[in-house]
Amino acid sequence: MSILVDAATKVIVQGMTGSEGSFHTKKMIESGTRVVAGVTPGKGGQTHEGIPVFDSVSEAMAATGANASVIFVPAAFAADAALEAIDAGIPLLVTITEGIPVRDMVKVNQALVRSRTRMIGPNCPGIITPGRCKIGIMPAEIHQAGTVGVLSRSGTLTYEAVDQLSRVGLGQSTCIGIGGDPIIGSPFTSLLPEFEADPQTEAVVLIGEIGGTAEEEAAAWIRDNMSKPVISFIAGATAPPGRRMGHAGAIISGGKGTAAEKKQVLRGAGIHVADSPAEIGQMVLHALGR
Amino acid sequence: MNVHEYQAKEILARFGVKVPRGKIAENVDQVREAATEIGAPVMVKAQVHAGGRGKGGGIKFCKTIDEAVEQGERILGMTLVTPQTGPHGKVVRKVYVTEALDIAHEYYLSVLIDRARARMTVMASAEGGVEIEKVAAETPEKILRQDVNPAVGYLPFVGRKIGFGLGFSAAQVKAFTKMLGAMIRCFDECDASLVEINPLVTTPDGELYALDAKLNFDDNALFRHRDIAELRDLHEEDPLEVEASRYDLNYIKLDGTVGCMVNGAGLAMATMDIIDLAGARPANFLDVGGAANKESVTNAFRILLSDHDVRAVLVNIFGGIVRCDRVADGIIAAAREVKIEVPLVVRLQGTNAVQARKMLADSGLEVLVAEGLDEAAKKVVAAIEGGAA
């Protein structure tokens, strides 16, 4: 078991014929992912890397039975691509693109509310169930199949945490980068229930950062609903207020969204919080009593 | 991206927000001209990207034109220090000369994004002219909030609800509803991330004016607003940050002594945090991005070493798509091009890390290599302490 994706997931790549799309399509296939179609408007009927290309998501879905799509489309056109996939009724949409305007994301979010689509991202590394399915850009080789679920607002910091887990002998059930933007498709609170319900997952690592209230909302949900141990790290304890720390969503504004505040709320909800990013792996081992 | 008060007001006025008459001046002659045209009394307001300008002596009420000229002369060229500028302050290059209104009451009004609910939201308070953060922390009940439903956009009831909530008269609510509608249209059409009027004032005859205004724009949307992008004032930004942005490097100067170079924003923040835990302070945030290569690494070294507070450098790369051997190549090339006179600790992990560590060891460079995150932070702090001894 795992959450959201497994060996049966059939994936469409929107923007597959671009350089990013091409590169990561190859990498995803190497990781065992069933990439069944590409979508590039105007290139329908061609094949790319041996995979059929369609003009639209709905055509690609109809022809291949795909149930997930990943977007590698430049920021200016990414919302349009996402809205197309939502309109086509794709069950899982992973938007990797960084730099999508917030106004566009407000619209995408509106479309998501009454749709059958769950969207991960944008501005994220994607989702991986090690050894079975990778939809995104993370290095598959640092992952191991196992029992720890990982949720994170970051990219490389997630790799760091996953690497620590693998080194202490803890594999991962599913790892999801939820994205570093202010508005995202799936906040922590929409994915935690999946891990709670997944029999394979024994513990969850939640990596947050400054800005917004996603960690506080997660803490409340965990306190009230979660039976499995949650281990957390919040990046940005040393970040100055009022500055955007790389991610569009990582900003302390009006004195709110600090790491100290988030850690306190998480600890109050019974979550194990690591002050040092180097302690994540060890802390999970400890929480699992190993 | 931020703009100056006078630019924010010009934009808001275009959408129909009522602002006091004003003129921008860059020298004393222009101050006299502006004050004469507007007619005394006037306000002379320093234009820098920071709040709290009044506290720092950057905003003055002037009864006569001569007084305005005098204040203009004093403020233009001054280094204005406010709670938001930091101790070094900001040099004032322009003043905004505006009509001085009689004020009956001050309010706070803003439009921003509610991240969790993914929509615009209006915040207002009858406690205007003060820091809204303070009001929010001490008396949250004095803040009114109302969502704007993204499916239908702004509707007059939103304005009525806030307007009556602020205690406006029926006639004022009518004007307020229009003003708020204009703010929301501005927010939407300009891809703003904040439209703030603080204070919004009423005059003794009941008129509503935006006495001060602040606009922030979504950097990711500037590609579709060339006119707004042109308002960027590089004087208001740290020169190193401007330089870094030319190379697509995400650099933020901080006040510590350990320069850091990291790939990815989250890992960059975590690296700053672990330096702090090890007992030193980070000199900067620097994300070299997903495409770290020889050129970007060289530029990154140049920028972070031009901060003279830097006494040691920590490079922390987690190679995923980025290959560590390429980064090592970049470090070796950069060390030849840019003179690195401070201790350098390099931690490379992930794709091709072993090969990369060997390249560094064989290069003849004086590099302290670390494997773990903790080890890297301890080594860089020890290097600084060793250097000081």
Side-chain angles (χ1 to χ4, degrees):
Chain A
M1 286 290 287
S2 54
I3 74 166
L4 308 189
V5 298
D6 57 28
T9 307
K10 292 198 220 168
V11 181
I12 293 171
V13 180
Q14 288 175 257
M16 185 171 73
T17 56
S19 67
E20 291 271 303
S22 286
F23 177 79
H24 290 293
T25 298
K26 271 187 262 175
K27 289 275 177 190
M28 286 190 280
I29 293 168
E30 282 167 24
S31 318
T33 309
R34 294 175 69 185
V35 177
V36 294
V39 170
T40 301
K43 294 195 177 175
Q46 303 180 9
T47 57
H48 187 79
E49 307 289 340
I51 293 160
V53 180
F54 297 85
D55 286 323
S56 72
V57 176
S58 51
E59 274 179 76
M61 280 174 74
T64 63
N67 53 4
S69 183
V70 57
I71 293 180
F72 287 103
V73 170
F77 315 105
D80 184 43
L83 290 163
E84 181 190 341
I86 295 164
D87 179 71
I90 197 87
L92 179 68
L93 178 61
V94 181
T95 305
I96 304 297
T97 310
E98 175 174 4
I100 303 178
V102 169
R103 175 159 59 128
D104 294 7
M105 278 309 301
V106 169
K107 288 179 186 157
V108 170
N109 219 278
Q110 271 302 106
L112 283 169
V113 172
R114 280 183 204 79
S115 74
R116 57 177 298 223
T117 302
R118 181 199 293 269
M119 184 171 98
I120 305 292
N123 190 10
C124 78
I127 173 168
I128 182 168
T129 292
R132 280 174 285 176
C133 181
K134 162 181 140 167
I135 307 180
I137 61 173
M138 64 286 278
E141 55 281 5
I142 60 170
H143 296 77
Q144 275 173 24
T147 61
V148 180
V150 178
L151 290 175
S152 172
R153 280 170 68 187
S154 164
T156 46
L157 179 55
T158 319
Y159 311 160
E160 172 71 40
V162 166
D163 189 54
Q164 286 180 27
L165 290 172
S166 295
R167 278 168 195 272
V168 297
L170 290 169
Q172 305 87 42
S173 53
T174 300
C175 305
I176 304 176
I178 64 170
D181 276 0
I183 297 181
I184 53 172
S186 300
F188 291 127
T189 46
S190 71
L191 296 165
L192 284 164
E194 304 285 338
F195 278 127
E196 174 66 10
D198 173 34
Q200 186 192 329
T201 302
E202 290 181 325
V204 175
V205 172
L206 186 147
I207 297 171
E209 62 191 28
I210 55 163
T213 53
E215 293 81 5
E216 286 86 337
E217 284 143 30
W221 194 90
I222 291 164
R223 184 195 58 217
D224 297 341
N225 305 285
M226 195 106 183
S227 64
K228 299 173 184 179
V230 178
I231 299 85
S232 183
F233 172 74
I234 305 295
T238 51
R243 302 298 310 266
R244 239 167 251 290
M245 305 303 285
H247 289 155
I251 180 167
I252 299 166
S253 49
K256 301 297 279 179
T258 63
E261 199 178 9
K262 288 174 187 293
K263 287 186 199 176
Q264 194 192 342
V265 174
L266 289 163
R267 286 196 175 114
I271 295 157
H272 308 264
V273 181
D275 280 319
S276 163
E279 290 169 358
I280 300 168
Q282 284 299 329
M283 209 170 220
V284 180
L285 264 188
H286 184 76
L288 285 169
R290 286 178 206 163
Chain B
M1 193 190 91
N2 295 335
V3 295
H4 289 292
E5 173 201 0
Y6 76 96
Q7 295 164 327
K9 282 181 170 171
E10 278 169 16
I11 293 169
L12 282 166
R14 249 184 270 149
F15 284 88
V17 173
K18 215 156 142 191
V19 301
R21 285 179 301 127
K23 255 193 123 173
I24 196 73
E26 293 183 42
N27 56 49
V28 176
D29 289 342
Q30 289 177 356
V31 173
R32 181 178 293 282
E33 207 176 291
T36 307
E37 192 186 313
I38 290 159
V42 294
M43 302 296 296
V44 177
K45 307 176 84 176
Q47 299 295 292
V48 293
H49 289 183
R53 291 169 295 160
K55 283 179 202 150
I59 298 180
K60 287 292 171 191
F61 171 76
C62 306
K63 269 186 244 162
T64 65
I65 290 168
D66 284 342
E67 209 181 308
V69 171
E70 203 177 291
Q71 288 298 340
E73 192 164 16
R74 185 184 63 81
I75 296 172
L76 280 167
M78 83 184 282
T79 301
L80 182 60
V81 180
T82 86
Q84 292 183 21
T85 57
H88 302 302
K90 282 188 167 173
V91 176
V92 181
R93 290 183 168 78
K94 290 173 185 169
V95 292
Y96 194 32
V97 183
T98 74
E99 64 179 311
L101 298 172
D102 283 332
I103 295 163
H105 193 83
E106 301 192 346
Y107 303 85
Y108 173 90
L109 181 64
S110 69
V111 182
L112 65 162
I113 290 284
D114 181 333
R115 294 166 58 150
R117 292 172 55 75
R119 55 187 56 191
M120 273 189 266
T121 188
V122 180
M123 269 176 74
S125 173
E127 307 273 315
V130 294
E131 280 175 58
I132 195 66
E133 291 85 8
K134 223 178 140 198
V135 180
E138 290 166 12
T139 48
E141 71 282 359
K142 288 188 176 159
I143 293 183
L144 307 175
R145 287 188 82 125
Q146 173 63 42
D147 275 6
V148 178
N149 184 330
V152 292
Y154 177 68
L155 291 173
F157 86 85
V158 174
R160 291 199 301 273
K161 192 170 160 189
I162 300 263
F164 283 116
L166 290 173
F168 288 142
S169 70
Q172 283 175 327
V173 167
K174 221 168 175 181
F176 176 79
T177 301
K178 262 173 103 173
M179 181 188 253
L180 182 57
M183 281 170 77
I184 286 172
R185 244 189 357 268
C186 172
F187 189 102
D188 198 42
E189 286 176 26
C190 298
D191 278 291
S193 50
L194 174 73
V195 176
E196 184 182 73
I197 298 181
N198 187 25
L200 161 71
V201 300
T202 50
T203 57
D205 54 4
E207 300 272 335
L208 269 61
Y209 285 92
L211 199 66
D212 195 0
K214 184 175 169 186
L215 284 185
N216 290 348
F217 299 95
D218 180 356
D219 292 337
N220 290 337
L222 286 174
F223 72 89
R224 52 192 179 204
H225 302 284
R226 290 254 167 87
D227 52 333
I228 293 168
E230 276 172 17
L231 302 180
R232 181 173 174 196
D233 185 348
L234 296 179
H235 292 302
E236 293 292 326
E237 299 174 31
D238 183 282
L240 284 180
E241 294 179 13
V242 173
E243 171 86 359
S245 70
R246 286 204 187 102
Y247 304 110
D248 283 325
L249 296 168
N250 215 324
Y251 172 88
I252 295 173
K253 180 158 170 22
L254 303 170
D255 54 11
T257 55
V258 180
C260 25
M261 183 192 309
V262 189
N263 65 327
L267 190 59
M269 277 188 276
T271 304
M272 285 160 47
D273 295 348
I274 202 165
I275 288 169
D276 183 61
L277 289 169
R281 297 282 298 166
N284 62 276
F285 167 95
L286 173 57
D287 173 9
V288 289
N293 55 34
K294 201 153 121 181
E295 204 198 344
S296 61
V297 170
T298 308
N299 285 323
F301 265 116
R302 212 162 32 71
I303 286 160
L304 71 84
L305 289 173
S306 40
D307 172 358
H308 296 296
D309 295 333
V310 168
R311 288 167 54 208
V313 173
L314 171 56
V315 177
N316 182 19
I317 303 288
F318 201 104
I321 304 314
V322 175
R323 284 168 40 187
C324 289
D325 55 319
R326 288 205 186 145
V327 176
D329 229 7
I331 294 170
I332 294 163
R336 287 200 186 112
E337 234 170 88
V338 188
K339 226 170 157 201
I340 304 175
E341 285 167 334
V342 294
L344 171 64
V345 177
V346 178
R347 187 254 181 166
L348 298 168
Q349 201 55 268
T351 313
N352 296 353
V354 177
Q355 183 189 340
R357 281 185 219 128
K358 187 170 182 304
M359 286 166 67
L360 285 175
D362 295 347
S363 70
L365 286 175
E366 271 189 57
V367 181
L368 297 159
V369 176
E371 285 191 28
L373 200 47
D374 214 19
E375 181 196 348
K378 284 183 178 141
K379 273 193 173 161
V380 79
V381 172
I384 284 187
E385 281 162 2

